[in-house]
């Protein structure tokens, strides 16, 4: 993926490209949400679409998330393939019924006789002082409930491939994109997320984790922004003689437990990095996945670096104190590479 | 708009079918539930919301609909499902939780889905509003014919989802009709205690669309008003909000002691039971003879009995199939 | 708690008694929700209150969960102490913003300068074929998000004490009551939940787990209905020579990790029983809590008995296939008491 | 209702204070954000929604309010906070994320809480509706004086929370006023593209309550209409829905390129800037002399400068205090 002279895209542009390509080949695909037409989405991921496809297929909505998300469900059941934006994932509380009780369950309630081919894309993440109602990740909140696939890319290649796969999927897919990876300078973007993206359409299989970096001493499991923290920590740790394997989950539902377990089986050490809240979420699930496997011997107790169980503070110093970062990850890795499990 | 003789016949037959269906479901629901009433027991477990008395709304609206049109219904969906032409055998089987049911037993009485006639329902108040609006949007975008009707209760008109969907339908001028069944009650909460306006049709003003209130649970009037709204929607002129006065002759759900009803209310409602009233009028104005009406009733009886037989005879689903059909 | 001739109450009556006692001593306490006045609540837990306190303080609401729950937040910030009912927890999707983003965060957003003394009580659980939108537990969904305490009693004694503590708490408390424990025959109630309840008001501390049964071979951690499954399994296992300790969490937030860890430290084996969905929820968190402690040696891999990650089916056989029950718990206990951890 | 001279003086002074506050915040916001505009940087990080142009709504309403009355505001709250009498020093400090801020830096610009004057705001559209209704309920139940006002944007009137709260306030006849600031835009979505009615005051009909639309961003007219509604609420006659035409002179938030605005719109709006217009009128009708008005402006300047100084000088919160104040 790092061939010289090949074009790199931001995640925002990769998402828009995937949508455009699917819209060209399938008239059923359309996009709707708040400020996604002329504005191109607050986070840039629908930029240019309205110019090519017009206001009918790239449709600004009123501020009525329950209305337009449940409308998307109805449209999807009627043969359309909506890609809908919930501007910030933090807003899920005003429309979660339409998501978890309707979108996610209608296939099941119908006994598999209807399909609900829709994508709900939504932004996650903090770090830029947008305070407690605009900075959350909520990965666990979506992944906990059945009937929806949940993906989140850490780079533009995966973003395009996952978006293409999501649009083509006949089941609902939650596509979570981290604001700090979008390639928008005003969000202090992570440059490593901008990678080579092939021009032709392709799919990244939903439900398969990637080994973002191979290593032998410790496994760091994460998703989206956390993957970059892990990779940065891994570089530092390498210089100290600690070999780090980084697993990029990419998909929370389905969860690729095999890849996680295989990695920890090899390294014997596990750290989970999760920008979502600490308890009852992703970090606990990954640790349980490893510990319940029954054939994995840990050389040290598993660790998690997650957002503490407190609302997200506005003040820069407070928020940064709580967020995962490469330093915290590296420190945890150093510690568990020193510690042994109790006899 | 006046219903033709054929339409009136269909309406009466359909109302009777619905009532006979509810009547036998009511009876079977109690199997296994005495002496102790435990919802979990018997051939039909779970909650059961009967539609007795509300049949005129279903037939008055659905008489104008084709299979391609969309209907979303609520937790009280049987009359609408029957009027929309949902497969009665598989619907009954679903209510019995059988493998032969519409959803193989996964959905149950509050989750009846029949894509062949574009029918769906849901257990969350006002949840059907958005999907119906979205289906209407789909038709408009695809340039395909079809209107979408969402049936809700009068209690549901105070839910945010109602407002958002109405607004969306109006701003996008979609072929959508919201039909509110005003049976005067939420569960135990009276409309007057929950809604500051007497009639929800005034809420149409909030969306700049036509609003109508139909009094008296009258199949002819409902047919008329619904027909105009549906024609308007088909002509691309946008949505309509209709509220219909109707009567819930049963409890909110089975097991409801109905202690909240004022004394005498039930008797007064039974005196206005729309089925005998319709029969009387059809006979009195000479549309049908008594014998013709009796024949329709007998046909309904046969149809319902067959559905119940189909349901009873169906196999139970394999328990482990609970794990299937989560994703498409 | 099992003194002869002392009165027993159902959880429903214990809850109502706690509310009534607090309403008598504090005029700020009031109750609102759908069908909670004359009907006494669909699940009986407000029965009799309207007769004593009138329709002003026991207030039926329109079907507007966002409206009345966010109104309760405003009232709580203005000196009242609302006890609000969300009839089924499954309905949280229509009003979760009012709960998790408003109720749960206003104390924090105000820097601790306002209090939000309110209780949100809501019913959980299935088993009686109420299908996929009326049978969920969603413990994990609430416990994952910061700013609200989350409790759920397994018996009437705890129900009264937790309700009293919740009403007196200056922070928001989610009080989840399992329908199958309410003492309502029409929900096939669990008789063991009806226990002795003292007449005088008392508090059960929020955040403290209880040892529902002592044992030495295996720890079963659960909450609400799961505790009864565990206790029934424990009886069967006892006859087979397996000594089971049952931890009744009672509170998910705060989570009494110490009690869980102390028990597993003693038994060396862990089973979590959770009627909520399997992944990213309570069961993963409890397993992680034990495995990350660092000083607990497990004799066998931890196990969880939870609702699989599928919507809840209507048909009796399908739903029962998925639900936890004493047999599944006992089988798991037998297995792990046989298995050893890998060397 | 006509504002007294004293009230007019307060209104003008307050509008100027608000504008001067926004103007300096706008400037300081850009510190550390060039050459690269990154929201995370500078003394004021995060999103910033300025209220320039919307001051008349805040003062026209809040001129009638006492500290005991309740106001909930939105993501664009500064003008309302200032008009409600929120401590300007601690408000500025909060926007700077300082320990001396209203919430010790936990809340920031979208989460300003000052219980001393019963002011709160929130970042979710229409989220303040319910809490204001609930505070009104609290006063009614306690028999204590006080009205509650929820300010929202015109875009928020399409959110379910708006509908549910209006309905609740109406059915319970609470001392509540919803004031919609119609600045014609959501973020980039025009009111006409989101709302099927021209004016949201017609939505009052959905709740059987009075509705008013105030044109022209005119402080006198707003004062009049709001005064009547608030008097009505204090008299126990229930809620009112008011929509006010106003102008957003800035972008939706800082960094907004405003490409969605039709050509010339910004110039036309600046020509209607309510502050110079009010000054002109106050001088023309002889209410105040030019010198008096200039003095008010100078006082506002001093007050704002003091607040900014207080904010700048405050200590940063201890990072680990992020873990405190979660529970009461
Ligand atoms: C969001 C939500 N809140 C509450 C309920 C519980 N509930 C089921 S039916 C009902 C009453 C509905 O009244 P109405 O809309 O008038 O319909 P009706 O039952 O009269 O047909 C209530 C409150 C629900 N299913 N969903
Ligand atoms: C529920 C919800 N949806 C979307 C947003 C994102 N958002 C913030 S401000 C805004 C526009 C609001 O428009 P309006 O209500 O007219 O207020 P204005 O910004 O014009 O003051 C949007 C869509 C949000 N904060 N909350
Ligand atoms: Mg009703
Ligand atoms: Mg606006």
């Amino acid at each position: 993926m790092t061939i010289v002279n090949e074009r790199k895209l931001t995640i925002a542009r990769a998402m828009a490209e995937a949508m455009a390509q699917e819209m060209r080949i399938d008239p059923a695909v359309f996009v709707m949400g708040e400020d996604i037409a002329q504005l191109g989405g607050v986070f840039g991921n629908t930029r240019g679409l309205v110019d090519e496809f017009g206001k009918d297929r790239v449709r600004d909505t009123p501020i009525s998330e329950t209305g337009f998300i449940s409308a998307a469900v109805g449209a999807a059941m009627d043969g359309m393939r909506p890609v809908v934006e919930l501007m910030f994932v933090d807003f899920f509380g005003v429309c979660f019924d339409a998501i978890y009780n309707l979108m996610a369950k209608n296939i099941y309630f119908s006994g598999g006789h209807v399909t609900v081919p829709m994508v709900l894309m939504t932004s996650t993440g903090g770090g830029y002082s947008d305070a407690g109602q605009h900075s959350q990740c909520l990965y666990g909140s979506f992944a906990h409930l059945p009937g929806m696939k949940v993906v989140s890319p850490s780079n533009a290649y995966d973003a395009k491939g996952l978006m293409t796969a999501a649009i083509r999927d006949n089941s609902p897919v939650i596509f979570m994109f981290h604001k700090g990876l979008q390639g928008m300078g005003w969000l202090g973007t992570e440059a490593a997320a901008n990678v080579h993206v092939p021009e032709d359409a392709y799919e990244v299989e939903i439900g398969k984790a990637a080994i973002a970096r191979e290593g032998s001493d410790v496994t760091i499991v994460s998703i989206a922004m956390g993957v970059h923290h892990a990779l940065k920590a891994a570089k530092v740790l390498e210089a100290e003689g600690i070999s780090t394997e980084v697993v990029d989950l990419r998909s929370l539902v389905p969860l690729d437990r095999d890849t996680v377990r295989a990695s920890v089986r090899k390294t014997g050490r596990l750290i989970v990095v999760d920008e979502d809240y600490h308890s009852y979420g992703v970090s606990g699930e990954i640790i349980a996945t490893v510990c319940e496997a029954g054939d994995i011997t840990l050389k040290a107790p598993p660790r998690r670096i997650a957002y503490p169980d407190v609302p997200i503070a506005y003040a820069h110093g407070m928020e940064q104190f709580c967020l995962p970062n490469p330093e915290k990850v590296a420190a945890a890795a150093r510690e568990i590479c020193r510690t042994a499990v109790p006899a | 708009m006046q219903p033709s003789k054929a339409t009136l016949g269909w309406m009466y037959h359909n109302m009777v079918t619905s009532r006979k269906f509810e009547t036998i479901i009511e009876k079977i629901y109690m199997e296994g539930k005495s002496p102790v009433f435990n919802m979990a027991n018997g051939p039909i477990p779970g909650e059961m919301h009967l539609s007795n008395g509300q049949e005129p709304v279903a037939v008055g609206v659905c008489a104008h609909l084709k299979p391609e049109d969309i209907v979303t219904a609520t937790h009280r969906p049987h009359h609408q499902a029957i009027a929309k032409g949902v497969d009665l055998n598989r619907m009954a089987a679903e209510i019995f939780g059988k493998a032969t049911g519409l959803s193989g037993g996964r959905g149950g009485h509050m989750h009846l889905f029949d894509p062949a006639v574009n029918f769906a329902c849901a257990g969350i108040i006002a949840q059907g509003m958005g999907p119906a609006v979205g289906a209407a949007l789909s038709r408009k975008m695809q340039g395909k014919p079809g209107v979408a009707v969402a049936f809700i209760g009068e209690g549901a008109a105070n839910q945010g989802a109602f407002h958002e969907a109405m607004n969306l339908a109006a701003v996008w001028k979609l072929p959508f009709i919201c039909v509110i069944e005003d049976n005067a009650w939420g569960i135990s909460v009276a409309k007057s205690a929950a809604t500051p306006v007497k009639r929800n049709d005034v809420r149409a003003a909030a969306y700049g669309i036509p609003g109508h209130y139909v009094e008296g649970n009258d199949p002819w009037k409902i047919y008329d008003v619904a027909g105009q709204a549906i024609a308007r929607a088909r002509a691309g002129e946008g949505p309509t909000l209709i509220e219909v006065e109707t009567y819930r002759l049963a409890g909110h759900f089975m097991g409801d002691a109905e202690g909240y009803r004022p004394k005498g209310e039930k008797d007064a409602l039974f005196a206005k039971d729309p089925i005998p009233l319709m029969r009387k009028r059809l006979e009195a104005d000479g549309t049908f003879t008594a014998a013709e009406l009796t024949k329709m009733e007998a046909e309904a009886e046969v149809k319902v009995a067959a559905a119940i037989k189909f349901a009873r005879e169906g196999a139970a689903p394999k328990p482990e199939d609970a794990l299937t059909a989560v994703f498409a």
Side-chain angles (χ1 to χ4, degrees), chain B residues 13-323:
Chain B
H13 170 75
N14 199 288
M15 280 172 56
V16 171
T17 305
S18 180
R19 180 68 62 88
K20 286 191 187 287
F21 186 78
E22 298 297 52
T23 307
I24 191 156
I25 290 287
E26 186 171 5
K27 215 175 114 225
I28 298 170
Y29 183 79
M30 292 309 296
E31 287 176 19
K33 293 195 183 68
S34 72
V36 180
F37 180 79
N38 176 344
M39 272 195 184
N41 296 336
I44 303 178
E47 287 183 60
M48 176 52 60
H49 312 84
L50 299 174
S51 63
N52 305 26
Q54 305 188 191
E55 301 88 352
V57 195
V59 299
V61 174
C62 294
H64 300 281
L65 300 181
K66 304 170 195 167
E68 78 207 25
D69 295 314
I70 297 103
V71 162
T72 62
T74 67
H75 56 286
R76 193 183 307 289
H78 297 173
H79 54 322
Q80 292 143 359
I82 291 171
K84 187 61 176 59
V86 168
D87 181 323
L88 195 65
N89 288 3
R90 292 173 61 225
M91 171 173 153
E94 185 63 30
I95 295 169
F96 278 70
K98 295 298 180 72
T100 50
L102 288 168
S103 315
R106 290 178 191 77
H109 135 82
M110 283 189 276
H111 306 285
L112 302 170
F113 282 71
D114 190 348
V117 295
N118 289 297
F119 183 89
C121 58
I124 301 289
I125 296 305
Q127 203 189 48
M129 291 287 299
V133 168
L137 171 64
S138 161
R139 296 304 166 88
K140 191 174 177 172
M141 288 182 74
Q142 295 186 57
K144 276 205 225 164
V147 300
V149 177
F151 288 98
I152 60 170
E154 92 296 335
N158 299 322
Q159 183 73 211
F162 164 81
H163 176 60
E164 295 194 10
M166 287 308 307
N167 186 72
L168 215 56
V171 79
W172 290 343
K173 240 188 158 188
L174 299 176
F176 168 75
I177 294 103
C178 172
V179 178
I180 303 177
E181 299 199 350
D182 174 13
N183 64 10
W185 292 99
I187 297 178
S188 70
V189 179
K191 185 183 191 184
S192 58
T195 310
V197 290
K198 277 233 161 70
R199 300 176 164 193
N200 278 305
D201 62 330
V202 303
R203 293 185 165 179
Y207 315 105
I209 60 168
H212 303 285
Y213 191 88
V214 185
E215 285 181 74
N217 207 21
D218 178 333
W220 282 263
K221 284 193 198 150
I222 299 167
Y223 179 87
D224 177 26
V225 170
Q228 290 179 39
I230 290 166
R232 196 174 176 275
R234 292 201 201 283
E237 289 164 39
T240 301
L241 176 62
I242 300 173
E243 186 166 54
V244 181
E245 182 187 14
T246 190
Y247 314 127
R248 193 186 80 201
L249 297 180
H252 168 71
F253 53 17
M254 288 199 63
D256 179 359
E258 298 181 72
Y260 49 83
R261 298 240 203 208
K263 233 184 93 127
E265 175 171 305
K266 271 307 261 291
D267 290 342
L269 292 185
F270 276 114
K272 295 190 283 186
D273 185 332
I275 292 184
L277 286 182
M278 188 173 188
R279 189 188 162 114
K280 218 167 136 188
R281 180 163 160 190
L282 288 172
E283 228 185 294
D285 69 10
T287 312
F288 294 106
T289 64
E292 283 171 327
L293 293 163
T294 305
K295 190 167 159 246
M296 286 178 203
E297 289 159 11
E299 281 164 5
E301 184 89 36
V302 169
K303 202 170 154 187
V304 167
I308 298 295
K309 184 165 184 286
F310 178 85
R312 286 227 195 246
E313 289 175 356
K318 278 187 260 157
E320 63 273 26
D321 279 354
L323 305 181

Side-chain angles (χ1 to χ4, degrees), chain A residues 67-130:
Chain A
F68 68 79
I69 293 173
S70 57
V73 176
M77 287 169 60
D78 196 53
M80 302 295 285
R81 305 187 86 85
V83 182
V84 186
E85 177 155 298
L86 174 65
M87 193 187 288
F88 287 73
V89 73
D90 312 66
F91 308 160
F92 88 123
V94 303
C95 56
F96 205 40
D97 186 65
I99 297 169
Y100 104 100
N101 241 347
L102 181 69
M103 180 192 82
K105 291 181 181 167
N106 270 2
I107 294 175
Y108 192 79
F109 287 151
S110 77
H113 295 303
V114 306
T115 58
V116 184
M118 67 180 270
V119 182
L120 182 71
M121 56 185 174
T122 188
S123 75
T124 65
Y128 63 102
S129 287
D130 216 358

Side-chain angles (χ1 to χ4, degrees), chain A residues 10-21 23-24 29-55 57-61 68 82-87 119-123 163 167 175 177 182 184 186:
Chain A
T10 62
I11 288 186
R13 291 197 51 196
M15 289 172 69
E17 183 168 286
M19 287 181 243
Q21 288 178 337
M23 288 177 86
R24 279 177 211 131
V29 179
F30 73 105
V31 184
M32 72 176 157
E34 292 155 13
D35 306 286
I36 57 99
Q38 172 156 13
L39 195 77
V42 172
F43 306 111
N45 41 296
T46 55
R47 208 164 274 178
L49 294 181
V50 75
D51 302 324
E52 180 172 354
F53 302 102
K55 286 199 161 198
R57 287 181 75 193
V58 182
R59 187 173 279 267
D60 275 337
T61 63
F68 68 79
V83 182
V84 186
E85 177 155 298
L86 174 65
M87 193 187 288
V119 182
L120 182 71
M121 56 185 174
T122 188
S123 75
M163 179 56 83
I167 295 173
F175 187 104
F177 56 93
Q182 276 298 90
M184 314 289 278
W186 58 277

Side-chain angles (χ1 to χ4, degrees), chain A residues 105-251:
Chain A
K105 291 181 181 167
N106 270 2
I107 294 175
Y108 192 79
F109 287 151
S110 77
H113 295 303
V114 306
T115 58
V116 184
M118 67 180 270
V119 182
L120 182 71
M121 56 185 174
T122 188
S123 75
T124 65
Y128 63 102
S129 287
D130 216 358
Q133 293 180 335
H134 290 78
S135 302
Q136 298 167 103
C137 284
L138 304 178
Y139 300 129
S141 297
F142 283 77
H144 179 50
L145 297 165
M148 44 193 171
K149 303 184 181 178
V150 182
V151 303
S152 192
S154 68
N155 62 62
Y157 179 89
D158 288 348
K160 179 172 174 182
L162 287 170
M163 179 56 83
T164 302
I167 295 173
R168 294 178 184 174
D169 203 307
N170 281 331
S171 299
V173 179
I174 309 286
F175 187 104
M176 304 176 102
F177 56 93
H178 194 289
K179 281 166 264 170
L181 303 176
Q182 276 298 90
M184 314 289 278
W186 58 277
L187 289 164
T189 201
E190 168 59 56
N194 309 341
V195 298
H196 168 60
V197 176
E199 311 235 359
D200 287 344
Y202 60 92
E203 293 184 36
V204 167
E205 189 183 339
I206 295 174
K208 286 268 171 274
I211 303 295
R213 176 193 171 108
E214 287 191 40
S216 53
D217 294 329
V218 54
T219 297
I220 307 181
V221 176
S222 194
I223 192 157
M225 182 60 96
V227 173
H228 295 278
H229 296 326
L231 290 170
K232 285 176 190 162
K235 263 203 192 146
V236 174
L237 292 165
E238 185 173 36
E240 303 172 19
I242 296 175
S243 166
T244 307
E245 179 142 311
V246 178
V247 177
D248 179 354
L249 290 173
R250 298 197 293 199
S251 164

